[in-house]
């Protein structure tokens, strides 16, 4: 038995140092990976924190604009506004507000903004047509300009109602 123990090589001091160096290198690699993951998470949180106030402000601007457009014909009938000059001014103000917010990194919202501006301009054209002799709808699928106008107003009301659902994914903590 003593003879078999004599054949087991004893670890040299240099071998022990090399083994410890390998262990420390593996621990360093694990720590570096953890640090990179934490840095990525911190970056996501920083971007979210920077965008959230601008996104909330854009939400408020869109809600106000959609409400204004959905109630414009009512305001006209109550003589709160006359003609389409107030609508044109509101469209320009809304464009300026949205540009002021800068890039929001929300493709669905960008599409909704573009559709809202397009629909608001259609509403303005329809209201001008209804006030004049050529009261034809802007979209061919409607029988009258009034029907076309009602459909646009309804679109704005539905979008205003569902606006929170569009913004929710972008306002939740990452």
């Amino acid at each position: 038995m003593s003879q078999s123990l004599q054949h087991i090589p004893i670890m040299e001091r240099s071998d022990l140092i090399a083994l410890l160096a390998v262990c420390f290198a593996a621990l360093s690699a694990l720590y570096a990976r953890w640090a990179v993951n934490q840095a990525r998470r911190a970056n996501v949180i920083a971007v979210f924190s920077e965008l959230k106030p601008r996104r909330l402000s854009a939400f408020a601007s869109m809600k106000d604009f959609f409400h204004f457009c959905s109630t414009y014909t009512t305001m006209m009938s109550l003589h709160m506004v006359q003609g389409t000059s107030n609508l044109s001014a509101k469209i320009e103000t809304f464009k300026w507000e949205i540009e002021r917010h800068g890039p929001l990194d929300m493709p669905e919202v960008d599409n909704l903004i573009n559709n809202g501006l397009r629909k608001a301009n259609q509403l303005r054209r329809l209201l001008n047509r209804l006030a004049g002799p050529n009261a034809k709808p802007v979209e061919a699928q409607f029988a009258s300009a009034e029907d076309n106008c009602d459909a646009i107003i309804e679109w704005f009301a539905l979008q205003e109602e569902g606006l929170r659902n569009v913004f929710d994914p972008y306002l939740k903590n990452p």
Side-chain angles (χ1 to χ4, degrees):
M1 178 118 165
S2 63
Q3 210 173 24
S4 64
L5 289 177
Q6 289 178 352
H7 294 296
I8 297 175
I10 297 176
M11 189 178 277
E12 296 291 325
R13 181 177 274 174
S14 62
D15 293 339
L16 183 59
I17 292 171
L19 181 63
L20 285 173
V22 167
C23 289
F24 284 127
L27 285 173
S28 294
L30 287 172
Y31 177 76
R33 180 177 293 206
W34 177 82
V36 165
N37 288 339
Q38 293 303 317
R40 284 185 184 136
R41 177 136 171 77
N43 190 37
V44 166
I45 291 170
V47 167
F48 173 78
S49 297
E50 192 270 328
L51 284 175
K52 188 171 184 176
R54 293 189 299 148
R55 288 175 172 172
L56 286 170
S57 185
F59 171 81
S61 294
M62 289 178 70
K63 188 141 180 87
D64 179 55
F65 179 69
F66 287 178
H67 180 74
F68 183 83
C69 291
S70 69
T71 59
Y72 197 78
T73 55
T74 302
M75 290 188 293
M76 280 180 73
S77 67
L78 296 174
H79 301 290
M80 295 170 66
V81 295
Q82 293 185 358
T84 57
S85 59
N86 294 87
L87 182 58
S88 296
K90 188 68 171 181
I91 290 169
E92 291 305 314
T93 301
F94 178 67
K95 282 181 189 177
W96 180 82
E97 286 175 0
I98 292 300
E99 288 173 5
R100 183 177 54 92
H101 297 310
L104 300 171
D105 195 27
M106 300 186 296
E108 294 88 2
V109 173
D110 290 338
N111 288 338
L112 189 56
I113 289 168
N114 292 332
N115 287 337
L117 289 170
R118 186 177 51 79
K119 292 279 189 182
N121 282 312
Q122 285 180 349
L123 179 62
R124 184 179 46 80
R125 282 196 315 267
L126 279 167
L127 292 173
N128 285 334
R129 285 183 181 184
L130 286 170
N134 187 15
K136 293 182 183 176
V138 174
E139 297 177 43
Q141 66 197 32
F142 295 101
S144 68
E146 291 87 4
D147 291 343
N148 197 174
C149 190
D150 290 342
I152 291 173
I153 289 169
E154 197 172 313
W155 183 88
F156 275 112
L158 288 173
Q159 296 310 313
E160 179 189 3
E161 194 175 295
L163 196 57
R164 183 175 177 184
N165 295 334
V166 174
F167 272 84
D168 270 347
Y170 298 106
L171 297 175
K172 290 182 180 174
N173 288 332

